Amino acid sequence: MARRSGTGVLLVLPYAVMAAVAFVDVAAGPGVGLLALVSLGPAFAGLVGGWRRTVAVGVVALLVGCGLGLYNGLFQERRGFAALASVVGVTVAGVVAAVMRQRRESELASVRSIAEVAQRVLLRPVPRSAGHLRAAVSYTSAVAEARIGGDLYEVVAAPEGVRVIIGDVQGKGLEAVETAAAVLGAFREAAHDEPDLKGVGERVERAAERSLRGEKFVTALIAELSPERGAVLLNYGHPPPVLLRADGAVGFPEPPQYALPLGLGLLPGEGPQPHHVDFGPGDQLLLYTDGVTEARDRAGAFYPLHRRTQLLDHPDPETALALLRQDLMRHTGGPLLDDAAMLLLRYRE
């Protein structure tokens, strides 16, 4: 809404400026001669709208300038024609600026479209139902032109149970997307092939080691959920999930000992140890990236996720996540500075 009102002001501003100059000039009398200030109209016109609009504003500015020049008797001297020449020059400059701005906006829109398509190919929609679970996902990109984020998530229904991953690649851009693609590809294969969750984690570790360069890393949380064993978690330096019990109790199950993120050169046996969490009918598990908990309001306060879990009480998991995302955006009062992914898993009654 604020952006629309700002654009509306810029659309009216050239005419308002020219009208104000004409009013002041006429009110001050023939001896003042504010003709040159009429060029502010086409100068402001180049900030918004197309080149045709800038030309139209320039023509109006010339007509106003001619009227003021006749009123002030400026055409008996050279400065009257010089003032009109300045109006023409500023109009030409405004037209060039408008053409370049429109070309830049078109290129940026194209890049954004390609980035969104690439992100959709990488992050496929999760199934609404997987085994004994209902699943919903929310992904909010940080508004930074066409910079693609490195948040990742996946839900796979395997014979051993429903296996899920959520992660956050350090950095932005195509390099982060390549790493996210490698991690997701390894997880999707290992989730079907490996008999235990530890094996899935080791496959993902090796894929991350091959794709990461320098000091880059990936925080990740891998989980396996089944009706018989509840939830088993592997945490690679990732924020702990939110566990919402059927009776309303809220917890953040942390591992007995945190492990390093993926890509930091873990030796065999140094990875995280699986830890078990009870997960039964009516329970919910919310996995998220740090773009959620590190989102700040205007005063610099972090988003209080632990006090917003009541929003997840809605019967439909997708609507529940949408309510939580809306609350997150209200908290920041503007675009996020980091991508925010949320994956909600609900035990199906």
Side-chain angles (χ1 to χ4, degrees):
M1 188 64 69
R3 186 176 180 180
R4 289 182 180 178
S5 62
T7 302
V9 170
L10 290 176
L11 289 172
V12 177
L13 185 60
Y15 303 102
V17 168
M18 291 187 294
V21 170
F23 176 80
V24 172
D25 189 279
V26 172
V32 177
L34 300 178
L35 172 56
L37 294 180
V38 177
S39 61
L40 292 174
F44 286 122
L47 299 177
V48 65
W51 65 269
R52 292 183 178 86
R53 177 176 176 274
T54 304
V55 171
V57 173
V59 171
V60 174
L62 278 176
L63 294 176
V64 173
C66 289
L68 292 178
L70 293 173
Y71 174 74
N72 291 284
L74 297 179
F75 294 131
Q76 298 175 4
E77 306 174 12
R78 291 183 178 180
R79 63 175 182 151
F81 296 101
L84 288 183
S86 68
V87 173
V88 174
V90 172
T91 301
V92 172
V95 169
V96 173
V99 170
M100 295 180 64
R101 177 178 49 78
Q102 284 185 307
R103 185 176 300 171
R104 167 64 176 163
E105 289 175 351
S106 177
E107 292 175 354
L108 182 57
S110 177
V111 172
R112 279 178 173 167
S113 176
I114 294 172
E116 291 174 358
V117 171
Q119 197 95 26
R120 284 194 221 104
V121 172
L122 176 67
L123 300 176
R124 301 180 302 201
V126 302
R128 291 177 60 92
S129 298
H132 63 298
L133 303 177
R134 294 187 65 189
V137 69
S138 170
Y139 185 88
T140 306
S141 295
V143 179
E145 294 192 351
R147 295 173 63 193
I148 314 174
D151 285 7
L152 57 96
Y153 55 82
E154 183 60 286
V155 177
V156 175
E160 293 78 10
V162 179
R163 290 173 169 173
V164 302
I165 185 174
I166 191 164
D168 185 1
V169 181
Q170 182 200 26
K172 302 285 183 184
L174 293 178
E175 185 176 342
V177 174
E178 290 175 0
T179 301
V183 171
L184 282 176
F187 172 78
R188 286 164 180 159
E189 290 186 4
H192 289 288
D193 298 341
E194 296 294 334
D196 59 78
L197 194 63
K198 185 70 173 176
V200 176
E202 291 173 352
R203 290 266 293 270
V204 173
E205 282 181 34
R206 291 193 293 270
E209 288 286 347
R210 288 192 298 267
S211 61
L212 288 169
R213 303 178 185 89
E215 297 180 354
K216 300 292 185 180
F217 60 86
V218 183
T219 67
L221 180 66
I222 303 176
E224 179 182 282
L225 300 97
S226 64
E228 300 80 18
R229 296 183 299 276
V232 181
L233 308 178
L234 276 177
N235 195 317
Y236 292 88
H238 198 77
V242 181
L243 179 61
L244 296 92
R245 297 293 185 189
D247 59 4
V250 179
F252 290 78
E254 297 189 8
Q257 183 176 358
Y258 272 95
L260 293 174
L262 299 168
L264 293 184
L266 295 178
L267 298 176
E270 288 186 348
Q273 298 303 314
H275 64 285
H276 176 267
V277 176
D278 292 332
F279 191 75
D283 292 344
Q284 300 184 80
L285 196 65
L286 176 67
L287 288 70
Y288 56 91
T289 58
D290 58 9
V292 176
T293 52
E294 294 183 1
R296 297 173 182 262
D297 62 10
R298 299 186 187 277
F302 292 113
Y303 180 67
L305 179 61
H306 60 287
R307 296 203 300 267
R308 298 292 196 267
T309 54
Q310 70 276 7
L311 297 172
L312 299 175
D313 293 339
H314 195 280
D316 179 54
E318 292 185 347
T319 303
L321 268 191
L323 293 173
L324 188 61
R325 178 184 179 277
Q326 292 171 8
D327 187 69
L328 175 65
M329 302 304 294
R330 280 194 298 268
H331 175 80
T332 59
L336 298 177
L337 299 180
D338 192 10
D339 295 346
M342 295 183 287
L343 178 61
L344 181 62
L345 305 173
R346 183 175 292 180
Y347 198 113
R348 216 164 31 159
E349 298 280 352

